[in-house]
Amino acid sequence: MSSGPGHPLAYPVTVTIGALAVCLAWAPFADPDQIAALATVALGIIGYTTYRLGIAFGRLRNGLTGAARTIGIKRVRQDHRLLSRTWLEISGTGRPRWLPVYFDPALLTLTETTGEITDRSVHADNLRLFPSGRIRDTEPPGRLIDNPSRPDPDAPTLATDSTRPMRRLLLDAQSTVAAPFIALMWVYIDNGGFTAFVAATSVAAATTIWLSAIRGSDPS
């Protein structure tokens, strides 16, 4: 897997940098209390991103232990409230399990297949997949949509559309509806004015978009 713009982690890392840039941009206009709040948000973003990337690259275990094993893999898409994620339904480990992974366009053509998994990495059809969280023993909540049993002939077109940065940002931006309310709470606590409200709204919006991206949002 290349590490260029098409890498599954390129989008969440870019969004992380963008969220940190928003925090940094407001720092010159902030008072000491506001700077402390911005620093807290930035440190939280850095810390949680480091944790997620640690799981993705196998620096932190994904929940499985033991040597490499051959497993059955089926890709499912989860739709739950404003959340959309890709999961691998895993068989061959004694009981069904579900592992969230970062979106890769190649997943759109992935039919039920066999792969190899360890507590450090996941491979299917010569494709390395990057976990976006820990494995779970219970089915993810919401509506789960299975991949077609045969490759979808429209998958290449859908893959191209799905990987457009603007489309991904617009989909992840659905959660920003809460940003103004978070900002109002902050203005009330901080006794700030209109500038503080605009700053808090933009920081909250950037943070919610980042949270969707770093959790492994699925734009398909």
Side-chain angles (χ1 to χ4, degrees), residues 25-40:
W26 282 109
F29 309 99
D31 61 30
D33 289 340
Q34 293 167 348
I35 288 177
L38 289 172
T40 300

Side-chain angles (χ1 to χ4, degrees), residues 68-74 88-93 110-118 121-127 129:
R69 68 188 76 178
T70 300
I71 55 170
I73 292 178
K74 181 173 68 173
L88 300 180
E89 185 176 321
I90 297 172
S91 58
T93 59
L110 184 69
T111 57
E112 189 167 359
T113 184
T114 57
E116 186 176 87
I117 189 170
T118 69
S121 63
V122 184
H123 293 83
D125 287 350
N126 298 318
L127 175 70
L129 302 172

Side-chain angles (χ1 to χ4, degrees), residues 12-13 16 48-49 52-53 102 132 209-216:
V13 169
T16 298
Y48 193 61
T49 299
R52 288 286 184 172
L53 295 182
Y102 285 100
S132 60
I209 292 174
W210 158 79
L211 186 59
S212 295
I214 202 63
R215 293 182 67 193

Side-chain angles (χ1 to χ4, degrees), residues 74-75 107-112 145-153 155 158:
K74 181 173 68 173
R75 182 244 179 179
L107 287 167
L108 297 178
T109 59
L110 184 69
T111 57
E112 189 167 359
I145 305 171
D146 293 351
N147 253 21
S149 58
R150 297 181 180 180
D152 186 349
L158 181 59

Side-chain angles (χ1 to χ4, degrees), residues 35-57:
I35 288 177
L38 289 172
T40 300
V41 172
L43 288 175
I45 290 173
I46 293 172
Y48 193 61
T49 299
T50 301
Y51 169 74
R52 288 286 184 172
L53 295 182
I55 292 178
F57 284 110

